[in-house]
Amino acid sequence: MSSVTSSTHLDAKSDLQRNLADFHPNVWGEYFLQYASESIEFDQNIGAQIETLKDEVRKMLLSKIENQLLKVNLIDSICRLGVSYHFEHEIDEVLQHIHKTCVENEEIILEDNLHSIAVLFRVLRQQGFRVSSNVFTKFKDEQGNFRENLVTDVEGMLSLYEASHMMIHGEDILEGAMTFTSTNLEFIATQLNPSLAAQVKYTLKQALHKNLPRLEARRYINIYEQNPLHSEILLTLAKLDFNMLQTLHQKEFGNICMWWIGMDVPRKFSFARDRIVECCFWILTVYYEPQFSQARKIMTKLIAMLSIIDDTFDAYGTIDELELFAKTIERFFRWDVKNLDDLPEYMKLIYKMVLKNLEEIEQDMTKEGRLFTLKYYIKEFQMTVDAFMTEARWFNNNYVPTIEEYLNISKISSAQSLLITCSYIGMGDIATENIFKWVSDKPKMVNAVATLCRLMDEIVSSEFEHKRGHVCSLLDCIMKQNEMSREAAIEECRERIVNTWKDINEECLKPTEVPMPFLTRAINLSRFMDVFYKDKDNYTHSEGSMKSYIKLVLVDPIPI
């Protein structure tokens, strides 16, 4: 029984009718409160050292050398070490030149080994350049299969596997490359030295293209340091920059945790998941760069409130209360507190929290002269709550919708469109009104991210949610409509996930509908899902890999 009744004045009878989830408590306690601070100060000596190192790396990038592949490897290392945000202009300039000299009619004309070609292909693709996957045909035999002697080239196999994750629709050669490399790498992993075997196992579990930038940086710094050909300048920059960002992020986490506790959320909403640190980390995956500190604050507060609202609709609110809340959200224009009279006490608290957050955004946007962003934010918020309500009605009526009907609503209730919209609010003047219009039109990229989120969540969450009473899952809809087993329905979802990533990859190839910085926010939301919803719902059940990864990025500094 939830302890929330004491603070919400709901009678015992109505409380007995609630579907309460058995969420485990906050695993972080008050750990991050030690970092809460109004001002964020850095060691000036370290700051000066970072600037000097950045100048040296910039010279390395722009130096005139004949071997273009060395530049590609340098750019790849800069990206994987998490410092590419310092050199966006230089990286684009260098890759423009490499694309001009090494690619003709989208065909890579460079002759080299599998590793080098695969890295070149992946780096160009991830920066939006159109290059043909036919370059890998030269590594096939007369029967059209990848040559068996490639299996002994572990470095080449790993690079080809990573490159295959950049596939778009119609690229059978990359489909084959993924199967060939994953099968053989899994087989030979047992025969490799422990360090290389660990690297192979990690890569097969978490592809680079779908990994979180901060996690990859934390991991790759160690790998890069062990490479005898590494640049000491670049390595030192990566270490210092990682620790500097960690200090900034720790203080941001501390301040958000202070807000959360100040709102008395853990006590007032004890029926909901207390996951404020995990919410902070979720948004840190969307953008980690220092200039987006305010943007992270806005977005983290939103996702934390959405988590409470989601649990209210899924686990705690009665159907009558949910109808009242949905109507209150639907009819507001200025988010007026006059609409609160009919709501139960705990819903009034949620509404006031949402209103307070909107007022903060309004103040910030007024100062920036970008008040237009609010109408898009409000519209997406209303649509998300409306989708929550539709699902609540389905559950209340024991209704199993068609697959298409379910996806149309659940893509909205995934809140990805709302999160993408919110992520642009804090990006400054580059986020013009046309960018917000683009999101509101639900283009292919936004639709793909929402689809991916829903598919991955469904596979790992449906069993837990069924136990506590929850709306039917996509798996239920597929099983009923297609008359198939749960295992077959899961396999269909996995196939849809593969195709959705192809959509995402395709939308990132030039010319893009919107500039790449905006697409990156959407991709990073997809990456969060790939990392934390691959095997189980690691947000709800956050005591495992979620906690370990947060510790890696936010607790343990890198030894210099």
Side-chain angles (χ1 to χ4, degrees), residues 265-361:
V265 171
R267 185 181 67 85
K268 290 177 179 175
F269 306 105
S270 60
F271 62 87
R273 288 166 289 187
D274 186 0
R275 303 286 183 272
I276 191 59
V277 172
E278 292 78 7
C279 286
C280 290
F281 193 68
W282 196 323
I283 302 311
L284 184 62
T285 68
V286 178
Y287 27 36
Y288 63 88
E289 300 87 343
Q291 67 267 32
F292 296 126
S293 185
Q294 182 67 6
R296 282 190 290 276
K297 177 182 174 182
I298 293 170
M299 205 175 171
T300 303
K301 287 186 177 183
L302 169 63
I303 203 166
M305 292 185 301
L306 281 175
S307 187
I308 295 173
I309 295 170
D310 186 37
D311 290 337
T312 300
F313 274 83
D314 281 354
Y316 193 76
T318 65
I319 190 66
D320 292 337
E321 291 170 353
L322 298 177
E323 291 283 5
L324 281 173
F325 186 80
K327 285 176 183 174
T328 303
I329 295 293
E330 182 185 354
R331 68 173 177 252
F332 64 46
F333 175 68
R334 294 291 296 172
W335 298 57
D336 199 333
V337 291
K338 294 175 184 175
N339 294 328
L340 298 185
D341 294 344
D342 296 333
L343 292 177
E345 199 66 30
Y346 79 100
M347 281 186 168
K348 289 180 183 177
L349 296 173
I350 297 173
Y351 190 92
K352 287 177 181 177
M353 189 186 298
V354 172
L355 177 62
K356 176 66 176 173
N357 188 51
L358 184 79
E359 288 171 347
E360 290 177 7
I361 297 173

Side-chain angles (χ1 to χ4, degrees), residues 478-513:
I478 293 173
M479 289 162 64
K480 179 183 177 182
Q481 188 169 324
N482 296 343
E483 297 181 347
M484 59 173 57
S485 67
R486 178 181 173 82
E487 291 70 26
I490 289 174
E491 188 54 38
E492 180 171 324
C493 284
R494 294 196 192 284
E495 289 175 10
R496 286 174 181 247
I497 288 169
V498 171
N499 285 322
T500 303
W501 268 111
K502 291 176 185 177
D503 287 341
I504 291 171
N505 292 341
E506 208 153 27
E507 289 303 291
C508 292
L509 296 179
K510 299 175 181 178
T512 56
E513 289 189 349

Side-chain angles (χ1 to χ4, degrees), residues 379-433:
K379 179 185 174 184
E380 292 292 345
F381 197 102
Q382 289 172 320
M383 288 175 63
T384 302
V385 172
D386 186 54
F388 286 165
M389 191 64 242
T390 299
E391 292 177 344
R393 293 185 189 118
W394 287 347
F395 175 64
N396 189 61
N397 297 326
N398 293 315
Y399 175 65
V400 180
T402 64
I403 297 170
E404 184 179 8
E405 188 179 7
Y406 183 89
L407 280 174
N408 285 340
I409 294 300
S410 66
K411 281 188 290 187
I412 301 171
S413 69
S414 74
Q416 297 304 293
S417 183
L418 171 57
L419 290 171
I420 292 170
T421 299
C422 186
S423 75
Y424 297 161
I425 290 176
M427 289 182 68
D429 291 339
I430 63 167
T432 63
E433 185 159 8

Side-chain angles (χ1 to χ4, degrees), residues 103-125:
V103 179
E104 288 182 5
N105 298 320
E106 297 187 10
E107 299 283 348
I108 294 175
I109 58 176
L110 213 58
E111 292 292 331
D112 215 294
N113 60 37
L114 177 60
H115 165 70
S116 296
I117 294 298
V119 172
L120 174 61
F121 175 86
R122 175 174 55 77
V123 169
L124 287 173
R125 273 268 176 111

Side-chain angles (χ1 to χ4, degrees), residues 467-485:
K467 289 178 181 177
R468 64 180 168 88
H470 192 271
V471 67
C472 62
S473 69
L474 177 59
L475 297 179
D476 296 322
C477 300
I478 293 173
M479 289 162 64
K480 179 183 177 182
Q481 188 169 324
N482 296 343
E483 297 181 347
M484 59 173 57
S485 67

